[in-house]
Amino acid sequence: MVSWREICVVNLLLVFGFVAFSTAAVGDGNGFQNFSFPAIYNFGDSNSDTGGISAAMWPVNAPNGETFFGKPSGRAGDGRLIIHFIAEKLQLPYLSPYLDSIGTNFRHGANFATGGSSIRPGGYSPFHLGIQISQFMQFKTRTTTLYSQLSPNRKVPPYKESLPRSEDFSTALYTFDIGQNDLSYGFQHSTEEQVRASIPKILAQFSHAVKQLYKEGARVFWVHNTGPIGCLPYTALYYTSKPGYLDRIGCVKPRNEIAQEFNRQLKNKVSRLRTQLLQAAFTYVDMYSVKYAVISDAKNQGFTDPMNFCCGSFYGYHINCGKKATVNGTVYGTPCNHPSRHISWDGIHYSEAANLWVANHILNGSFSDTLFSIDEACHHPQT
């Protein structure tokens, strides 16, 4: 098992922008050389779901996937998600969804994220974070058992070539992109004041999930905060309130303020976890700021109006991406011709072009807090 000191060396690489760190040779004066992440284990919602909800519940239809995969591939978007770009930078294969039974390969990790998932139970999806953690624990136990049953001199069965090595669990990267649906579901079924008041309980369950992974040997955590929910076209179109509720770029201020409060408390929670899990290294990534940056500067970054989206329709008649309808002679739901010019793919999810822009700005550490917390992660952090 790699030590906490060695993990911190890897985290330094994350911070200072050596994006190709997965193959870089580094030394700490004690013989540590050539550490690389052998696997990624991801937990989240549709922002990082690579096919879980599609395999378990309902298919994601065309034109989803048209930009990169050339066909629907279980992703809510026209192409790659941020988790794909993370895998690319680490020179690892794309993650197979844990819930998919066909064509999966878990040698270099697994994706437990599913569309609609939240941290707490009772949202849009049954696969909340607690379920995802339970799935991981079962996956790890069964994998370890299979390897323990194999004698040293026995040839490795073909099916084990698609499973992670037992020792890889302690040196893998554990990524989180979840929490947006806790807020979105709350907005739909309660008041904004109630959503704000629910944040501590939501994050208590997040903390519990991280501690469960730590007990299972996880040591390196990459945590995304939630994006500017008020800047999603879907939110802006359906939100009505008093005059002045939109900011200068058309985002819904009250929703963004609650997202920012969620992120403030999440950052504090991660800081607290550093003091409790002394052998862990955390990178807290400010997705809110990087996404707001591209939305607020859309034109200069080569995008159209950020409140426009490519697939589906919410204008007068609601049509989800992948469906069409004709109303009074008007066809709704035809996708745009140039998704790369749009930040939003379907009013809720980002386009591949926007995901790439975001990935390029977070993977070098520019939007992470690790620059200010390496000593906390490596020694005895104080809040």
Side-chain angles (χ1 to χ4, degrees):
M1 179 182 295
V2 69
S3 72
W4 62 266
R5 176 179 172 82
E6 293 165 351
I7 289 169
C8 288
V9 174
V10 177
N11 227 31
L12 280 169
L13 292 172
L14 285 171
V15 172
F16 291 110
F18 295 102
V19 173
F21 66 91
S22 63
T23 57
V26 293
D28 66 355
N30 293 312
F32 171 55
Q33 294 288 331
N34 297 322
F35 178 80
S36 62
F37 287 121
I40 303 171
Y41 292 99
N42 181 66
F43 306 87
D45 52 33
S46 59
N47 288 316
S48 60
D49 179 6
T50 56
I53 202 68
S54 179
M57 304 288 284
W58 51 77
V60 176
N61 298 319
N64 287 286
E66 66 177 18
T67 295
F68 182 80
F69 301 100
K71 60 182 179 180
S73 298
R75 287 85 168 160
D78 63 308
R80 290 165 291 182
L81 312 177
I82 292 170
I83 190 65
H84 291 102
F85 295 116
I86 290 175
E88 287 182 8
K89 292 300 184 183
L90 298 181
Q91 299 184 22
L92 293 174
Y94 296 148
L95 296 184
S96 291
Y98 173 74
L99 294 173
D100 199 347
S101 60
I102 299 175
T104 53
N105 189 320
F106 301 120
R107 185 65 165 183
H108 296 286
N111 193 358
F112 298 89
T114 55
S117 291
S118 53
I119 294 174
R120 291 203 301 178
Y124 302 115
S125 167
F127 303 107
H128 57 84
L129 183 57
I131 294 295
Q132 294 181 26
I133 298 299
S134 295
Q135 290 171 337
F136 168 81
M137 293 169 67
Q138 182 181 127
F139 175 77
K140 178 176 178 284
T141 298
R142 295 181 66 187
T143 299
T144 304
T145 299
L146 284 172
Y147 273 100
S148 67
Q149 293 172 348
L150 185 64
S151 61
N153 298 323
R154 185 180 173 187
K155 184 179 179 181
V156 176
Y159 71 86
K160 287 192 176 179
E161 294 296 335
S162 64
L163 295 176
R165 294 175 292 267
S166 299
E167 62 270 21
D168 290 348
F169 287 104
S170 62
T171 54
L173 178 66
Y174 290 79
T175 56
F176 291 87
D177 194 329
I178 195 166
Q180 178 175 311
N181 287 321
D182 291 87
L183 303 184
S184 295
Y185 189 84
F187 291 143
Q188 289 185 351
H189 297 87
S190 62
T191 66
E192 291 175 349
E193 290 74 18
Q194 289 172 322
V195 174
R196 186 186 294 270
S198 72
I199 293 174
K201 291 184 179 180
I202 295 171
L203 294 180
Q205 293 192 258
F206 172 81
S207 178
H208 177 68
V210 171
K211 290 177 180 178
Q212 284 182 294
L213 290 176
Y214 185 81
K215 289 180 181 178
E216 293 292 324
R219 290 296 180 267
V220 184
F221 300 93
W222 176 279
V223 181
H224 291 177
N225 69 14
T226 198
I229 297 174
C231 294
L232 299 176
Y234 180 91
T235 300
L237 285 168
Y238 280 109
Y239 189 93
T240 58
S241 186
K242 299 177 182 179
Y245 67 88
L246 297 179
D247 68 12
R248 64 179 181 82
I249 61 173
C251 299
V252 179
K253 289 190 291 186
R255 297 289 166 88
N256 277 350
E257 288 169 356
I258 293 176
Q260 289 174 306
E261 176 60 21
F262 177 91
N263 292 338
R264 185 190 68 80
Q265 293 188 37
L266 174 61
K267 186 174 183 179
N268 289 340
K269 184 67 69 175
V270 170
S271 295
R272 181 60 178 167
L273 286 168
R274 288 191 180 109
T275 70
Q276 298 170 336
L277 311 179
L278 298 181
Q279 294 188 5
F282 288 88
T283 300
Y284 171 89
V285 185
D286 189 1
M287 298 294 284
Y288 183 100
S289 292
V290 68
K291 287 182 175 180
Y292 194 86
V294 67
I295 291 168
S296 62
D297 195 37
K299 183 177 180 180
N300 291 330
Q301 300 304 322
F303 295 105
T304 62
D305 184 340
M307 292 303 148
N308 292 334
F309 52 95
C310 183
C311 186
S313 175
F314 303 132
Y315 298 99
Y317 194 80
H318 187 120
I319 295 293
N320 289 328
C321 180
K323 296 183 179 180
K324 291 184 180 180
T326 302
V327 181
N328 296 326
T330 300
V331 178
Y332 292 86
T334 301
C336 69
N337 294 323
H338 304 287
S340 64
R341 297 178 184 174
H342 291 75
I343 290 175
S344 179
W345 163 245
D346 60 4
I348 297 174
H349 305 98
Y350 287 67
S351 68
E352 178 181 277
N355 284 328
L356 176 60
W357 195 98
V358 171
N360 285 338
H361 286 76
I362 65 170
L363 290 177
N364 63 8
S366 297
F367 286 84
S368 71
D369 74 336
T370 323
L371 283 169
F372 309 104
S373 57
I374 285 296
D375 289 338
E376 294 180 347
C378 295
H379 299 294
H380 297 279
Q382 301 293 324
T383 56

